Amino acid sequence: MRIGELAARAGVSVRSLRYYEEQGLLRSTRSTSGQRHYTEEEVERVTFIQRMYAAGLSSRTIAEVLPCVETPSEEHSDAALERMAQERDRLSEHIAELTRTRDKLDELVAVARAYRESLRLPAAG
Amino acid sequence: MRIGELAARAGVSVRSLRYYEEQGLLRSTRSTSGQRHYTEEEVERVTFIQRMYAAGLSSRTIAEVLPCVETPSEEHSDAALERMAQERDRLSEHIAELTRTRDKLDELVAVARAYRESLRLPAAG
DNA sequence: CTAAAACCTGACATTGACGTCAGAGGCAAG
DNA sequence: CTTGCCTCTGACGTCAATGTCAGGTTTTAG
């Protein structure tokens, strides 16, 4: 498939796909006229890349981790695996912090709502 | 306390504090010579701001939410409260996605480790 | 009093993941 | 063959939070 279709199927912009390639996250075969072609697999790969971005990884980090995802072999399962585990931990910590923040927000919302209700009560109006 | 101390205690840069003020997230009293002064409370406030940033809220959104946090009153407990609840939900969804991503990473790490182990086993080496 | 350290405003620089535009070529349909 | 859409490269624009620098004032320590 060509770039437009991959973009549509993965839900990203064409620009992003070219950017991913530039960053070494995505490869493409080229037609004689130079147009990029992709296989079905790439859809999933792009989705994975998006998820990594959403998890706060940079292009460089994703690039370090991706080979491990694609083809597990002895070569990269040393540094890359280490890196992946490390990013997992970082993410885990981040999730924990976000959860605390959400709880804090919950608390604040509850307090504000209670306050608002108190204003509505005839006794306290 | 002056800006340097607040920065140190809240673990942010002086530049950031001035930026927060510019964005309407932080107020300061000024000495006659124009230097900013803060109270103890501001430390917590700055920490909260940081957490909101970490949760992916923009300055503008934090500004919408903050008054509700500071002084719950009828005025802002309408729009701001709504906004806060909305951001809470957004954050919650984001956490869920990150958790899925982490699980995916876990899975990948497990697969890669298993693969590596298989290479080490005499039977498969 | 003086030197160092902290502060001020204002402004330009940076970073990362894109958006967007220009100018040119490629490709299926009528 | 042309119309219209897709694609190409290359380059500049953007946005948000922050770094950084310049040039000047204030506070603090000795």
Side-chain angles (χ1 to χ4, degrees), chain B residues 2-4 15 18 30 34-36:
Chain B
R2 291 190 300 168
I3 199 169
R15 177 68 175 89
R18 290 200 267 252
R30 298 298 187 105
Q35 300 208 344
R36 295 172 176 83

Side-chain angles (χ1 to χ4, degrees), chain A residues 102-120:
Chain A
R102 183 186 58 185
D103 292 348
K104 180 74 178 173
L105 274 181
D106 275 345
E107 198 183 302
L108 290 169
V109 169
V111 167
R113 285 210 169 119
Y115 181 81
R116 193 160 82 167
E117 284 312 306
S118 78
L119 291 178
R120 291 243 175 77

Side-chain angles (χ1 to χ4, degrees), chain B residues 3 7 12 15 28 30 32 37-39 45 59 61 63 65 68-69 78 95 97 108 112 119-120 125:
Chain B
I3 199 169
V12 305
R15 177 68 175 89
S28 59
R30 298 298 187 105
T32 52
H37 286 270
Y38 305 91
T39 67
R45 182 175 182 130
S59 293
T61 306
V65 156
C68 189
V69 173
D78 246 23
I95 290 173
E97 193 198 327
L108 290 169
L119 291 178
R120 293 244 173 77

Side-chain angles (χ1 to χ4, degrees), chain A residues 10-76:
Chain A
V12 305
S13 68
V14 166
R15 177 68 175 90
S16 294
L17 294 181
R18 290 201 267 254
Y19 177 72
Y20 298 164
E21 181 168 326
E22 188 183 319
Q23 298 297 306
L25 307 181
L26 196 58
R27 264 155 299 177
S28 59
T29 58
R30 299 299 188 104
S31 69
T32 51
S33 64
Q35 300 206 342
R36 294 172 176 83
H37 286 269
Y38 305 91
T39 66
E40 290 290 321
E41 290 176 4
E42 315 292 43
V43 178
E44 198 184 351
R45 182 175 182 129
V46 170
T47 303
F48 181 78
I49 292 173
Q50 283 281 303
R51 291 180 67 162
M52 290 302 121
Y53 275 126
L57 308 211
S58 67
S59 293
R60 213 167 67 81
T61 306
I62 298 176
E64 289 179 54
V65 155
L66 259 178
C68 188
V69 173
E70 296 292 297
T71 14
S73 76
E74 182 67 10
E75 282 175 272
H76 35 247

